[in-house]
Amino acid sequence: MTGPVWITSTPPTPNGDLHVGHLAGPYVAGDVLSRFLRAESRSVLYTSGIDDHQSHVQVRGLKDGGKAAEEIADAYGASIVRTWRSAAVSLDRVVLPRRDAGYARAVQKFFRRLYDAGHIEARTTPLPYCVPCERWLYEAYVVGVCPHCGVSSHGNACEACGRPNDCGDLVDPRCALCGQAAENRPCERLYFPLDPHTETLVAYWSTVRMPPHLRALCETMAADGLPDIAVTHPADWGVGVPVVGFEDQRIYVWFEMAPGYLVQTGRADRPAAADSAGDPASVQFFGFDNGYFHAVLFPALYAAGGRTDALAVAFQVNEFYRLREQKFSTSRGHAVWGDEVIEEYGSDVLRHHVCADRPEGRQTSFDRPALEGTRRHLDALWNGWLERLFDAVESECGGRVPGEEPTGAEWESLRARLLASLAELREAYGPAAFAPRRAVALLDEIVHCVTDFAHVQAHQAQRPEGGAHGRAALAAQLAVASALSAWAAPVLPVGAARLARVLGLPAERPVTAAALEVPRHGRRLARSDGPVFGSVLDYAAAGGERTPETTVSGTNPPALEESC
């Protein structure tokens, strides 16, 4: 993957603010990859959206005293964008479906293209109905037992096993609003049969990078026979169905997301047969519970619609991040909210913690005392070393970078260890073997190594003529500090930018060996109050060159150029 890159993180549902589980999943991780590639001068577009039309939004409003879905979506959508910014998640483009004049048109056009080509057809099937509420039940409106794994599930898809259901095949369905048992009634809806696309999907799965858990889900579904998926529901919230006779229904929100991703790049109106050569490689970040949509439904829709240019080359999948042995849940209020944690701890602490504890290939569990432990860890190890270094430069060199160059066997040994760690760090940051957990462990090891070096070299001052040797050791540590301001930036952009400012260096430099160099001789360190890593600052205030702004969808998305 050497050309331009398009990174997506699943649009969150605005039925609540972002919680720590969300940040530990696609959003911080997508930002880490984006920052690494951008610093390499790669052309990157990092996009997401606000998933306004999820039924969970309308259900939240009904449960909150009958508030309108629009009110819920707008309030929490704005809160989500603020939390992204506070967490230094620097998205290039955020699509707001109800504010983008072309969004609904693009979704309906994509739907109609598939309908006219015969890929979407009408079926009459059982759908749960709540008599007391006089409401058809689908997705968030219905709760029952998953027909595949036997655990509690909402309609249309099971979070536990990741497989779709048809709502009418849920065992013991009941209304999520009143709790009463539902009855299955015949309902005519429009369906997208997946089975005709099995061969295409199997071929695609052989080329896309994905973890074994998701691959097992895909292959199991194919072996069992891919189902027909209802792509409309009787509802009044969402994008209208552009088919005569179904005006009282709305397009299934997970169908909507497929063309919604195209809107994020500004390519929704591209002709189906257009040449896709030179298009950016797409890397998609999402949780396993959304795996079927991204790996089965969307690729089949793109293939049917002639939009294979939208197919991802890699899926970066996180498992559930749990809280007190249960999954984070916005709808149940079982969460620790991201904005509250960032206000108390700052983005560096949160980002270090959720990257180190990221649920890669396994479920992990958030613990507030452990988060406090991360703050103490950054303060004692990272900030402790830097404060001792800056104090020594102040007392020994008048606060200026010494003129001596790093030298000696100890420096050469440290440098060799650092360069070996750098090679592994670049691999952990890169799209082919992306692993934030490993990246954070390597950064911690780098700081441990230089801390050990600093303690040993402090004894240089006891030598009768050790002044020059001591200053050379300080220069060596400043070189490592310079490297850390670049190498840690993808994970800890606020602290890294602040460190770069102290050293008089630009922020967001490449993660390369060139960063391991002594700052300009004689430069006075621009120290400021507070710790370098862990301060409650935004990225711009810390000295970053690129303010992490999110942008409402418009007609001119950022262009993706071939990298030089």
Side-chain angles (χ1 to χ4, degrees), residues 19-37:
H19 53 61
V20 174
H22 290 130
L23 294 170
Y27 305 115
V28 168
D31 186 68
V32 170
L33 178 60
S34 172
R35 288 180 182 277
F36 171 73
L37 294 175

Side-chain angles (χ1 to χ4, degrees), residues 249-505:
Q249 298 195 14
R250 296 295 180 267
I251 295 174
Y252 178 36
V253 71
W254 284 100
F255 179 104
E256 173 190 328
M257 195 176 294
Y261 276 131
L262 296 174
V263 172
Q264 290 177 18
T265 62
R267 302 204 312 263
D269 290 328
R270 171 186 285 181
D275 182 14
S276 62
D279 281 343
S282 172
V283 180
Q284 294 186 328
F285 284 78
F286 52 86
F288 177 77
D289 55 324
N290 294 332
Y292 137 74
F293 301 114
H294 288 82
V296 182
L297 179 61
F298 296 169
L301 292 174
Y302 291 143
R307 295 306 306 264
T308 54
D309 58 298
L311 292 173
V313 300
F315 296 136
Q316 293 293 340
V317 185
N318 61 274
E319 301 288 337
F320 283 136
Y321 197 40
R322 301 173 70 83
L323 173 65
R324 294 188 295 274
E325 303 309 317
Q326 297 181 34
K327 71 175 289 289
F328 276 83
S329 173
T330 301
S331 58
R332 297 198 310 271
H334 183 72
V336 175
W337 304 111
D339 59 347
E340 296 175 359
V341 170
I342 295 166
E343 183 178 0
E344 181 177 356
Y345 290 91
S347 67
D348 282 341
V349 173
L350 176 65
R351 288 173 67 113
H352 185 290
H353 188 80
V354 299
C355 285
D357 201 30
R358 178 171 160 80
E360 295 174 11
R362 80 215 81 174
Q363 295 186 8
T364 55
S365 186
F366 175 78
D367 180 73
R368 187 174 279 275
L371 179 66
E372 177 62 34
T374 297
R375 172 157 63 181
R376 292 196 301 269
H377 169 78
L378 279 174
D379 199 48
L381 180 63
W382 294 52
N383 293 323
W385 160 60
L386 288 171
E387 286 301 310
R388 291 190 297 272
L389 170 60
F390 297 159
D391 286 345
V393 172
E394 183 67 37
S395 62
E396 300 296 325
C397 311
R400 297 182 182 276
V401 177
E404 286 79 3
E405 291 290 337
T407 187
E410 294 88 352
W411 163 245
E412 293 302 326
S413 176
L414 173 62
R415 186 174 184 276
R417 290 199 301 273
L418 295 175
L419 293 179
S421 295
L422 171 62
E424 293 189 51
L425 183 63
R426 286 184 56 81
E427 183 180 58
Y429 278 149
F434 184 73
R437 291 174 65 103
R438 185 164 162 241
V440 168
L442 287 163
L443 291 170
D444 282 339
E445 176 62 20
I446 287 167
V447 181
H448 275 297
C449 286
V450 71
T451 299
D452 290 344
F453 174 87
H455 284 301
V456 171
Q457 295 302 310
H459 295 287
Q460 295 283 7
Q462 300 173 8
R463 299 173 60 184
E465 298 181 357
H469 294 287
R471 290 191 295 273
L474 293 178
Q477 293 179 66
L478 288 171
V480 179
S482 169
L484 194 66
S485 71
W487 298 355
V491 173
L492 307 177
V494 171
R498 193 173 191 186
L499 179 56
R501 187 177 62 181
V502 170
L503 300 173
L505 299 169

Side-chain angles (χ1 to χ4, degrees), residues 9 121 132 181 241 267 360 431 489 500 503 561:
S9 289
E121 53 195 49
V241 178
R267 302 204 312 263
E360 295 174 11
L503 300 173
E561 305 288 346

